[in-house]
Amino acid sequence: MTQYQIHSDIKANASSVLALLGLSIEPKVLFVCPQNILNRSFKRSMSSLEIEVAFAESSSEALQKMNSFTYAIVIAIDEIDELDGVGFLELVKQMSPNTKRVLVSGKSDMDATMEAINRVGLFNYVVLPWEPSELRQIVHRACDLFSLQYENANLSKLLSNQANDLRTLVDTLEITVQSRTASLLTGLNAALDLRDTETQGHSRRVALYARRLAEELEVTHTEAIDIQRGALLHDIGKIGVSDTILLKPGKLTEEEWVEMRKHAEFGYKILENIPFLGNARHVVHQHHERFDGNGYPQRLKGKEIILGARIFAIIDTYDAMTSDRPYRKGLPHEVAIEEIHKCQGTQFDPDVVGAWDRIPKEELFILRKRAEEDVFAGSI
Ligand SMILES: [Fe+2]
Ligand SMILES: [Fe+2]
């Protein structure tokens, strides 16, 4: 088997696959000429090709035919009617840019040929009288090129559609995985809330407050969600702190505090292999840092602390103060705000405190209510 035969076989197989997929087209030729003698001669010249040929005797008839079908090739005689061949092929170019255009002329004028090639992007220029075999070759090449371009365009469209479908599927799967993971983490957090009875519902409330404050600071939607997730999970590392320390009723000794403070690192470690919580993880890690650099675990200072953690520091204090504890009732909103103001510049970022001040207390009450009524509040 020659290389040519192998190539032809591959091409034939590819064409049949494309035909099965409805992506290929049977190329058709339109010959535009008012002279019967040339029409008959063209028909004879094409008889050995397995390509369908249509005829139009005027430019208007040709344009009408083109309205209902995309021809692979349009061959026009130089003098059709009031419209000359070049003018007509210009219209063909506008109507169907992928159709190959061939001009047939009695004149062998190089300048006119070049001008026509440039003006209408001619595929070829045929001088009368044509040589049938040469004409067949031109038609054959034009049809091959047209089919190839047509199939390529359809294949690209099909691949792009499939890529879009695949992307949508991946997005849907990712959302499902994220929402299930978030539910799992909410459950984990709820378990922690039950263990650390002093803070029941605290994580859900701070998650909602953190999201609201992040939005007040006009962060992007994604950043706001990351901050919300970080707030929800901020104390997740307490799972790694022993019951004797976590549930100790009295004050902790200095050694016990050392153990307790490890929960920020534990939380950071717990979330290590959950890629979609990559940013939230930093909020968890830094949630006990202070603006003046006296926090832990890294003693970060000022803007070294990520915004999510600077946001969190304020709302954590606010929620701790305004919530009921077994040994005292929650303090009024105004008292908590006053305390936060006292600590701006030391514990808190003054810019973030300014944003917190702008949120009406009624809105915070609504968020608090949502967190109390819905165990999944704040989870994303
Ligand atoms: Fe904490
Ligand atoms: Fe907290």
Side-chain angles (χ1 to χ4, degrees):
M1 192 180 273
T2 66
Q3 205 176 359
Y4 175 77
Q5 279 170 313
I6 294 169
H7 179 254
S8 302
D9 281 357
I10 292 171
K11 202 174 151 197
N13 287 338
S15 294
S16 40
V17 170
L18 290 168
L20 275 175
L21 291 170
L23 300 176
S24 62
I25 189 172
E26 277 302 316
K28 211 164 155 182
V29 181
L30 179 61
F31 187 68
V32 188
C33 171
Q35 301 171 37
N36 279 338
I37 189 162
L38 278 179
N39 285 340
R40 281 199 298 274
S41 164
F42 185 80
K43 199 173 185 177
R44 268 199 310 279
S45 302
M46 294 296 115
S47 59
S48 61
L49 285 182
E50 284 179 357
I51 291 172
E52 202 179 321
V53 180
F55 293 89
E57 291 187 0
S58 66
S59 51
S60 56
E61 188 192 350
L63 294 172
Q64 211 174 351
K65 284 192 166 169
M66 283 185 64
N67 261 331
S68 51
F69 191 81
T70 305
Y71 289 90
I73 170 168
V74 172
I75 303 173
I77 198 87
D78 200 11
E79 285 152 8
I80 309 171
D81 39 38
E82 62 280 0
L83 208 58
D84 68 0
V86 174
F88 167 72
L89 289 175
E90 261 190 304
L91 290 178
V92 172
K93 186 185 174 185
Q94 283 165 26
M95 266 180 90
S96 176
N98 296 326
T99 295
K100 308 300 158 212
R101 298 168 291 275
V102 172
L103 185 66
V104 177
S105 174
K107 299 170 264 177
S108 173
D109 178 340
M110 201 53 196
D111 290 343
T113 310
M114 288 313 292
E115 202 215 323
I117 288 174
N118 292 333
R119 260 176 74 191
V120 299
L122 279 188
F123 180 77
N124 222 312
Y125 187 90
V126 176
V127 180
L128 285 167
W130 60 57
E131 172 56 48
S133 63
E134 203 179 303
L135 192 62
R136 277 195 294 274
Q137 256 192 25
I138 291 171
V139 169
H140 200 75
R141 274 195 289 119
C143 287
D144 266 2
L145 183 62
F146 175 84
S147 301
L148 200 67
Q149 288 172 341
Y150 184 89
E151 286 158 4
N152 273 351
N154 275 342
L155 262 180
S156 306
K157 211 187 297 168
L158 182 77
L159 289 177
S160 140
N161 286 344
Q162 282 180 342
N164 283 340
D165 289 351
L166 203 60
R167 215 168 295 133
T168 312
L169 187 68
V170 168
D171 285 350
T172 314
L173 278 176
E174 202 167 313
I175 289 167
T176 310
V177 169
Q178 285 187 11
S179 97
R180 289 198 180 154
T181 311
S183 302
L184 193 73
L185 292 170
T186 309
L188 211 58
N189 233 20
L192 179 69
D193 271 3
L194 283 178
R195 207 172 148 225
D196 188 3
T197 45
E198 280 202 3
T199 61
Q200 275 195 23
H202 169 66
S203 306
R204 297 201 296 270
R205 288 192 298 274
V206 291
L208 293 176
Y209 292 155
R211 170 74 175 265
R212 178 63 186 86
L213 183 49
E215 283 166 357
E216 189 63 29
L217 286 158
E218 296 181 348
V219 302
T220 65
H221 177 70
T222 316
E223 282 169 335
I225 289 175
D226 286 337
I227 292 168
Q228 180 177 357
R229 286 174 177 160
L232 180 76
L233 301 169
H234 71 280
D235 268 343
I236 198 80
K238 282 189 179 170
I239 285 172
V241 177
S242 74
D243 278 358
T244 43
I245 296 173
L246 192 66
L247 307 177
K248 187 176 173 181
K251 281 191 170 178
L252 299 184
T253 65
E254 193 41 48
E255 292 78 42
E256 286 166 338
W257 265 118
V258 170
E259 283 307 304
M260 181 63 120
R261 287 188 189 114
K262 285 182 183 167
H263 78 276
E265 292 280 9
F266 288 164
Y268 188 62
K269 205 90 188 106
I270 287 170
L271 305 181
E272 191 176 17
N273 294 314
I274 308 177
F276 87 93
L277 294 174
N279 293 328
R281 188 174 165 237
H282 294 292
V283 178
V284 172
H285 195 202
Q286 298 179 19
H287 79 274
H288 281 293
E289 299 290 353
R290 287 171 52 114
F291 198 67
D292 60 8
N294 289 323
Y296 68 88
Q298 299 176 89
R299 294 182 70 88
L300 299 174
K301 197 173 179 178
K303 310 280 181 193
E304 283 172 4
I305 306 164
I306 57 165
L307 178 64
R310 278 180 278 134
I311 286 176
F312 179 78
I314 295 168
I315 56 163
D316 194 37
T317 298
Y318 175 83
D319 189 63
M321 290 185 75
T322 52
S323 301
D324 292 341
R325 290 291 166 99
Y327 49 87
R328 64 149 171 82
K329 285 289 284 173
L331 297 165
H333 169 85
E334 290 72 17
V335 176
I337 293 290
E338 205 186 310
E339 182 60 26
I340 287 166
H341 276 206
K342 275 189 209 154
C343 300
Q344 56 181 330
T346 50
Q347 199 175 341
F348 309 124
D349 178 348
D351 293 341
V352 184
V353 172
W356 185 235
D357 285 343
R358 293 196 296 273
I359 303 173
K361 74 172 178 186
E362 291 74 17
E363 247 191 83
L364 298 176
F365 292 161
I366 293 168
L367 292 179
R368 169 176 283 273
K369 203 140 185 57
R370 248 183 74 196
E372 279 161 8
E373 286 167 1
D374 178 5
V375 286
F376 290 106
S379 73
I380 280 196

